Amino acid sequence: MSETNDRTPLLPPPVHSQGQYGQSDSHVYPTHDDAAVIFPSNWSDLQQPIYLRACHSPWRIINQSFLLFLRMLLAGYLSAVFGVSLKYKLENEDEHSRWRIPFQFSTVSFCTQWAWHLQVTVWTAMHLLFPKAIEVDPRDCHGHRLRAYILRFFSPSNKASCPIRRFSFSMFYTMAHVFPFMNTLIYWACLVPAGHGGFKPPSFPHHHPPSNATVAYDPNKGLFEEDPIKAFSIINVWTITTVIAFIEIGFLNSIRRQTPVTGHIVGVMFCSAAYLAWAGVGKLLTGHAGLFFLDPDLMNDMPEAVIAACIIFIGVSPGMFSYMYGLVAMRETMTATRHDSSR
């Protein structure tokens, strides 16, 4: 895999140039001479690796300063949500140890997304302050070299020479958005109807609330009748995170559709299976399952039901990846059309 395979424009090519050098998933791009004809003013953008594309918005209205402001706003908001939600989970009465929290899927999902926003916020700030590559001059004194090493550590790489590192970063970007989508889907489509959402579930025909819910709640109180801190945590951890994922994919980065697609599908399934293993470790250590359908006691001691739920959980992840892939493709099409109409 050559280094040029990861060099893609921050603004996708115009729609009318879909011929030989059109936008595609193969990531085969024109030569320098050809690009000078098609993109006379944008050839430098073709050289941007995936790490720098994470620090650029594809929309012209969002310049680097405004992008940094938006990223700081979202990172700060997620940090506040983390503190409030952690307080809620720690104060929530449960028969299990507080060490159950790191093994819950909502925690893993939120922390993955939070880590992504913290990293790209720092990268965007550093790229704005130091747009050129930071080089270490061996002739400088130790203090200047140490400063250069520190600045380079906190800055996005301007090279994409390592395919393993590039794929790993792409998987990080993917899971930071696939997991929140899965978390929201599982919560509202599975946990809440089953009575494990932490508040009075909606009325369904032939619905019988479980006698042993994993989250203590008043069966007579709806979501907005609960304590404010509880309602805030539920809405943000299981809903607003998906809204933030939409904003990130659509407006805050120029990362193109993931390639290879097969490798990413295998990757998201592997990460989902890895979480199930992590939840299994949590069950052994704390007696608490990260998701209620992973607990045989709550599934009426039916191992086949637990196995089926695990298979469905892993099977949902490629579907959420396809959904994310479609969102990225839609953003590429919209920004390409916008770029074409402005020429």
Side-chain angles (χ1 to χ4, degrees):
M1 184 180 297
S2 64
E3 181 177 341
T4 57
N5 286 345
D6 193 56
R7 311 289 185 159
T8 56
L10 297 181
L11 287 173
V15 174
H16 69 265
S17 63
Q18 294 289 331
Q20 181 180 2
Y21 305 119
Q23 182 173 277
S24 66
D25 295 337
S26 61
H27 285 201
V28 177
Y29 302 108
T31 63
H32 188 285
D33 294 336
D34 294 330
V37 176
I38 301 175
F39 311 106
S41 62
N42 277 25
W43 172 245
S44 61
D45 290 340
L46 287 168
Q47 302 301 307
Q48 304 298 338
I50 186 173
Y51 318 110
L52 292 184
R53 291 201 303 270
C55 305
H56 288 266
S57 171
W59 303 92
R60 293 187 181 275
I61 193 175
I62 304 179
N63 58 29
Q64 288 302 102
S65 299
F66 188 39
L67 176 62
L68 178 59
F69 170 77
L70 293 176
R71 288 209 174 280
M72 292 179 65
L73 188 66
L74 290 179
Y77 184 79
L78 288 174
S79 300
V81 171
F82 175 80
V84 174
S85 300
L86 182 62
K87 182 178 185 296
Y88 158 66
K89 289 190 175 187
L90 290 175
E91 293 179 350
N92 183 36
E93 295 182 2
D94 193 282
E95 60 182 0
H96 303 99
S97 167
R98 291 180 175 178
W99 288 104
R100 74 188 186 281
I101 297 175
F103 299 97
Q104 294 174 337
F105 183 65
S106 59
T107 302
V108 174
S109 169
F110 181 88
C111 289
T112 304
Q113 185 182 34
W114 186 38
W116 165 264
H117 279 272
L118 290 178
Q119 177 171 347
V120 294
T121 299
V122 172
W123 277 9
T124 303
M126 295 300 295
H127 186 54
L128 178 63
L129 296 175
F130 305 94
K132 295 183 178 180
I134 300 174
E135 302 293 342
V136 179
D137 191 345
R139 296 171 297 179
D140 287 340
C141 64
H142 292 289
H144 285 83
R145 280 184 292 173
L146 178 61
R147 176 180 178 274
Y149 279 122
I150 294 176
L151 292 178
R152 192 164 65 174
F153 176 80
F154 287 103
S155 301
S157 175
N158 66 328
K159 298 180 181 179
S161 56
C162 178
I164 296 178
R165 181 185 176 189
R166 184 171 63 243
F167 178 78
S168 299
F169 183 77
S170 181
M171 278 302 307
F172 177 39
Y173 167 66
T174 301
M175 297 314 303
H177 298 84
V178 168
F179 270 1
F181 291 153
M182 292 178 62
N183 186 45
T184 299
L185 177 65
I186 291 173
Y187 182 77
W188 291 106
C190 182
L191 298 182
V192 172
H196 295 271
F199 59 93
K200 179 184 177 182
S203 298
F204 291 96
H206 308 295
H207 173 77
H208 301 282
S211 59
N212 185 18
T214 57
V215 179
Y217 67 94
D218 187 338
N220 297 318
K221 287 186 177 182
L223 174 59
F224 296 102
E225 298 172 334
E226 296 283 354
D227 294 335
I229 185 175
K230 182 175 182 178
F232 177 86
S233 300
I234 290 176
I235 292 174
N236 279 276
V237 173
W238 284 280
T239 303
I240 300 300
T241 50
T242 291
V243 176
I244 292 176
F246 284 136
I247 296 174
E248 171 67 30
I249 294 172
F251 299 97
L252 302 186
N253 70 76
S254 300
I255 298 176
R256 298 191 66 192
R257 286 165 283 179
Q258 296 91 331
T259 55
V261 175
T262 303
H264 283 76
I265 291 176
V266 173
V268 296
M269 295 179 70
F270 174 81
C271 291
S272 299
Y275 168 73
L276 294 179
W278 177 248
V281 173
K283 175 65 176 175
L284 293 175
L285 296 179
T286 67
H288 174 78
L291 291 168
F292 87 94
F293 52 75
L294 302 178
D295 192 339
D297 297 333
L298 299 178
M299 299 296 287
N300 297 323
D301 292 325
M302 298 175 60
E304 60 274 13
V306 176
I307 295 174
C310 291
I311 294 175
I312 294 174
F313 179 82
I314 296 176
V316 166
S317 59
M320 292 296 98
F321 168 72
S322 301
Y323 183 62
M324 176 186 178
Y325 191 88
L327 291 175
V328 176
M330 182 175 66
R331 182 249 292 160
E332 288 184 357
T333 302
M334 293 173 65
T335 52
T337 303
R338 179 182 178 88
H339 178 58
D340 180 51
S341 63
S342 65
R343 289 174 62 88

